[in-house]
Amino acid sequence: MRLRLVPEVTNFDFFYYQRYTFGASCVAMVLSLVIWLMMGLNFGIDFRGGTTIRTESVQSVDVGAYRDAIAPLNLGDVSITEVFDPTFGPDKNVAMIRIQAQDDTESVAADTVQSVEDQLKEVDPTITFPSVESVGPKVSGELIQTALIAVGASLAAILFYIWLRFEWQFSVGAVAALFHDVILTVGIFSALQIRFDLATIAALLTIIGYSINDTVVIFDRLRENLIKFRKRDLRDVMNLSVNETLSRTVMTSGTTLIALIALLILGGDVIRGFVFAITWGVVVGTYSSVYVAKNIVLYLGVNRDDKPSDKGNQFANVDA
């Protein structure tokens, strides 16, 4: 007996409320942009600048104890991560402590760094501080620029790839859905003032990859059905394609969310922002695959008369 989260054959009308669902997506995007412009993002150390302290100790690193020791200093955004390396011996335990710049200065003051070191020595007398490095505003600005280029380049590459594999209408729909996912994710981070750092950029790129994967699966089934049902209305063919891939979509999203929710609850503060971004992205990405990408293709229309064979366009059989 196989577990089925949805029936083997479904006939849901996903486009019955297409104006409302697409309109809600547009409103959500506008609200996200307004919130972003009004409230801004809670940038982490990667984008604000600050100081990184490397620690080494004979004792095991206790991130919680380190954080509790530094908390009374009220230094704002402090990130503590343990460094793992197979070359480290059992008596070499390394951690990286990142402290945001204070009062718009380029780095944390020397007396503040000394206070941090004193607090940590009370937790672990064997601790040493082999290096202290600062990240200034110039480097932070370059990181922001590089992050924007990375997201923009990925969207451009996906636009080109979907056009090669399918039709230009499909590529417009797919990239619009990805913009929808990215803007809503940035909007929720701005509204909740969740720390936005390089890990969040990695999460955004992961969301883009996950969302386009789900979209392409439905697009591929749609292309097959457009050839199979040439005389059938485009809306009905799209609805059939979504229903035929519904089981796969629910299983993929559901199992992914199970792992993400476990990490969100048990993963700790260090990765919570990253995991929250991906969790949110899986939800909105699944939604946008149907209610944004497919709606745009439906509005633009697809010319099915220019397909003399079942090969789609001239690039349809290019190996992925």
Side-chain angles (χ1 to χ4, degrees):
M1 179 181 294
R2 291 186 298 171
L3 174 65
R4 291 190 180 278
L5 298 181
V6 296
E8 186 172 359
V9 178
T10 60
N11 191 29
F12 300 114
D13 190 351
F14 289 96
F15 299 96
Y16 185 77
Y17 297 106
Q18 64 185 58
R19 292 183 179 179
Y20 300 104
T21 54
F22 189 70
S25 294
C26 293
V27 170
M29 290 177 66
V30 172
L31 286 176
S32 296
L33 290 173
V34 170
I35 293 172
W36 181 13
L37 292 174
M38 292 181 62
M39 300 182 62
L41 290 169
N42 179 21
F43 286 117
I45 299 170
D46 298 322
F47 298 136
R48 284 184 182 174
T51 296
T52 300
I53 303 173
R54 179 185 175 95
T55 71
E56 292 185 7
S57 175
V58 175
Q59 299 181 16
S60 299
V61 174
D62 188 337
V63 174
Y66 285 14
R67 191 179 302 280
D68 291 340
I70 298 174
L73 298 177
N74 297 319
L75 299 178
D77 184 14
V78 177
S79 173
I80 305 174
T81 55
E82 185 173 1
V83 179
F84 296 96
D85 192 309
T87 62
F88 291 168
D91 59 343
K92 187 176 182 180
N93 300 281
V94 179
M96 300 296 291
I97 301 173
R98 295 186 295 176
I99 307 169
Q100 72 177 45
Q102 309 292 307
D103 301 324
D104 298 326
T105 56
E106 182 168 339
S107 61
V108 177
D111 57 341
T112 303
V113 173
Q114 186 60 51
S115 298
V116 171
E117 294 179 356
D118 293 340
Q119 291 291 98
L120 293 176
K121 285 180 179 178
E122 293 183 7
V123 176
D124 181 1
T126 66
I127 197 169
T128 58
F129 307 94
S131 67
V132 177
E133 299 176 349
S134 296
V135 178
K138 182 178 179 181
V139 175
S140 301
E142 292 175 353
L143 288 175
I144 294 176
Q145 182 180 3
T146 304
L148 291 174
I149 292 174
V151 175
S154 64
L155 291 174
I158 289 171
L159 176 71
F160 183 67
Y161 171 78
I162 299 298
W163 173 72
L164 290 182
R165 288 291 292 176
F166 301 99
E167 305 284 349
W168 69 268
Q169 297 94 330
F170 289 72
S171 64
V172 172
V175 171
L178 296 182
F179 269 111
H180 168 272
D181 301 341
V182 171
I183 291 174
L184 260 62
T185 302
V186 173
I188 196 70
F189 266 70
S190 179
L192 301 179
Q193 287 296 290
I194 302 173
R195 186 172 65 243
F196 194 94
D197 50 22
L198 285 179
T200 310
I201 298 298
L204 288 176
L205 295 176
T206 304
I207 291 168
I208 290 173
Y210 181 91
S211 181
I212 196 63
N213 177 66
D214 190 45
T215 303
V216 165
V217 168
I218 304 177
F219 275 170
D220 200 51
R221 182 59 59 90
L222 174 60
R223 183 176 62 184
E224 295 174 0
N225 287 334
L226 286 173
I227 297 171
K228 188 184 300 183
F229 305 104
R230 288 179 176 272
K231 302 301 181 181
R232 199 166 176 176
D233 186 71
L234 176 60
R235 181 181 182 278
D236 294 335
V237 177
M238 294 181 71
N239 206 48
L240 173 65
S241 302
V242 176
N243 275 281
E244 288 180 346
T245 56
L246 182 61
S247 177
R248 179 262 177 203
T249 298
V250 172
M251 287 294 292
T252 303
S253 300
T255 52
T256 304
L257 285 174
I258 290 173
L260 290 172
I261 291 173
L263 283 173
L264 195 61
I265 297 172
L266 305 173
D269 182 68
V270 174
I271 63 170
R272 185 159 290 131
F274 173 79
V275 176
F276 175 81
I278 297 181
T279 304
W280 172 261
V282 168
V283 175
V284 298
T286 302
Y287 174 89
S288 67
S289 295
V290 177
Y291 293 110
V292 177
K294 306 304 178 293
N295 272 336
I296 288 179
V297 174
L298 183 61
Y299 291 147
L300 294 176
V302 178
N303 185 5
R304 293 144 75 181
D305 297 330
D306 62 349
K307 299 179 178 60
S309 65
D310 61 352
K311 297 181 180 179
N313 67 4
Q314 68 266 38
F315 300 108
N317 290 326
V318 176
D319 291 335

